[in-house]
Every structure is written in structure tokens, then in C-alpha cells.
Amino acid sequence: MRAASHANGKDLAKEIALLKAQLEELTESMSGTGQSMVARGEEALEETLNSARELIAKYGDTAKAIAEDTISLKNKATDKLVEQTEAHPLTTLAAVVGIGFLAGWLCRRQ
């Protein structure tokens, strides 16, 4: 019985030593890999920023023009709505009341 436990103890000691060696190897490889991972992360971030800058440079003027056109269209629609309301106040009131009743009826049905 003692011989069996002695053999198990030696096997356990060998396995622990093997695990220590593997852990040391892993630590050494990770220290080099950690630095390269940081460098690769920095490179990827720099590439992403450069791509974003290129995209803004390429389409920034187009987006600005679209935004300005949209603002202009909104202002024209607002002016037209105000003109129609001032020109035909009773028609506008009737339309608003009709839309309100229709919305209330549709909401009540569901």
C-alpha cells in the first residue's frame, strides 16, 4: 500500500513539475504576444481612423449639401402651411377636426 501511494506521489510531483514548466512557457509566450497584440490593436485603430477620415473627406460635402437641402425644404413646407392656414382658416380647422375624429375612431377600433 505504501509503495502505491509513493508511486502516486511521484506521478503527482511529475505532473506538477510539468504544469509549472508549461505555465512558464505560456507566460513567456504571452509576454511577447501581449506586446504584439497591443501593436496590432494600435495599427487596426489607426487604419480605422484613417478610413473614417477618408470617408468624411469624400462624402462630407455631399452630406452637408443634403442637410442644407433638407432644411430648405422644411422651411418651404412650413411657409406654405402657414400661408394655406392664413388663407383658408375654416378649411384648415375643419381638416384638423376631421383628422382628429378619424384618428380617435381608428384608435378606438383597435
Side-chain angles (χ1 to χ4, degrees):
M1 180 93 168
R2 233 175 183 198
S5 67
H6 185 66
N8 287 341
K10 284 185 178 181
D11 290 341
L12 183 60
K14 286 180 183 177
E15 288 187 30
I16 289 173
L18 181 63
L19 285 172
K20 281 183 180 180
Q22 289 175 345
L23 185 58
E24 288 173 3
E25 288 176 18
L26 181 62
T27 302
E28 289 174 10
S29 68
M30 288 301 287
S31 65
T33 304
Q35 292 173 352
S36 66
M37 287 175 59
V38 169
R40 283 186 280 166
E42 288 174 351
E43 288 173 10
L45 180 60
E46 189 63 34
E47 288 176 15
T48 303
L49 288 173
N50 286 337
S51 296
R53 287 181 188 120
E54 289 173 6
L55 185 67
I56 290 170
K58 186 175 183 179
Y59 295 109
D61 293 335
T62 304
K64 187 176 180 180
I66 290 172
E68 289 171 355
D69 290 346
T70 303
I71 290 170
S72 175
L73 184 62
K74 178 198 68 96
N75 290 337
K76 286 180 184 178
T78 302
D79 292 342
K80 188 67 172 176
L81 180 62
V82 169
E83 286 175 19
Q84 288 293 340
T85 303
E86 288 175 350
H88 308 286
L90 293 178
T91 306
T92 303
L93 180 64
V96 169
V97 170
I99 291 171
F101 278 118
L102 180 63
W105 182 72
L106 287 174
C107 288
R108 190 173 40 139
R109 290 188 70 211
Q110 296 177 354

